Amino acid sequence: MAKLVFGMNQSLDGYVDHQEMSTGPVLFRHWIEHVRDLTGSVYGRRMYETMRYWDEDRPEWSAEHREFAAAWRRLPKWVVSRSLKSVGPNATLVDDDVEAMVRGLKARLVGEISVSGPDLAGSLTNLGLIDEYRLYLHPVVLGRGKSFFAGPRPPLRLVSTDRVGEDVIRLTYVPA
């Protein structure tokens, strides 16, 4: 049975905004390895559209950027959206019965499936489907933006803390 994991970079005050937080070489390497090891990813529309950046090579990319892009492209993706009409390579559009689709993925796959997007994660949390939360805390206070948690959560239990790179701390929680 697969494990559904929601993990994202966030500010100390709880906001997610990839453009406001720097990703140093150690953290970027961490994300390459993370994506490489995933069984698949379930995306909300906005996060999927942001990640489509990795669909086409760019001349300014480093070897590490190309490595991340290759891992991301290989990864099976399920995109939850009622407004999109199509999705890119190696992706499946999901426009209804998200709960049944996610339960099916968890039942038939093995490994980790990431959830990307706070709104989608909130919906899946409300359905009791998220098995683990990974908060990557960056030493920045944004004071605005999209919250990591889209609404109140049930109690969580801290299971680990890890330093990733020079200044990012990963907190890993499971439902209590």
Side-chain angles (χ1 to χ4, degrees), residues 101-115:
M101 184 274 301
V102 170
R103 286 189 189 284
L105 291 176
K106 287 180 71 169
R108 78 173 193 271
L109 299 176
V110 175
E112 278 190 10
I113 301 170
S114 71
V115 175

Side-chain angles (χ1 to χ4, degrees), residues 71-92:
W72 190 80
R73 290 173 192 159
R74 171 204 61 79
L75 189 67
K77 296 170 258 319
W78 295 270
V79 182
V80 177
S81 174
R82 288 192 175 96
S83 60
L84 290 176
K85 300 300 177 211
S86 65
V87 290
N90 213 14
T92 302

Side-chain angles (χ1 to χ4, degrees), residues 6-98:
F6 175 51
M8 288 186 75
N9 295 312
Q10 75 169 51
S11 63
L12 289 175
D13 55 344
Y15 296 108
V16 296
D17 186 337
H18 71 282
Q19 295 177 332
E20 295 289 336
M21 291 176 265
S22 64
T23 302
V26 174
L27 182 58
F28 195 73
R29 170 59 46 198
H30 170 84
W31 288 117
I32 292 169
E33 298 302 326
H34 172 72
V35 170
R36 183 179 288 140
D37 292 341
L38 287 172
T39 297
S41 271
V42 180
Y43 282 95
R45 178 191 55 82
R46 284 184 295 274
M47 185 57 66
Y48 176 71
E49 288 177 332
T50 297
M51 293 301 290
R52 293 286 315 264
Y53 169 82
W54 299 102
D55 272 342
E56 295 183 26
D57 286 339
R58 301 180 189 274
E60 69 274 12
W61 281 358
S62 67
E64 289 79 17
H65 286 98
R66 292 182 196 291
E67 189 177 357
F68 181 87
W72 190 80
R73 290 173 192 159
R74 171 204 61 79
L75 189 67
K77 296 170 258 319
W78 295 270
V79 182
V80 177
S81 174
R82 288 192 175 96
S83 60
L84 290 176
K85 300 300 177 211
S86 65
V87 290
N90 213 14
T92 302
L93 183 60
V94 179
D95 59 1
D96 67 348
D97 207 353
V98 175

Side-chain angles (χ1 to χ4, degrees), residues 143-164:
R144 59 167 171 62
K146 188 73 164 168
S147 294
F148 181 88
F149 290 110
R153 297 295 73 148
L156 300 174
R157 182 173 53 85
L158 181 67
V159 293
S160 70
T161 61
D162 304 287
R163 188 174 183 161
V164 183

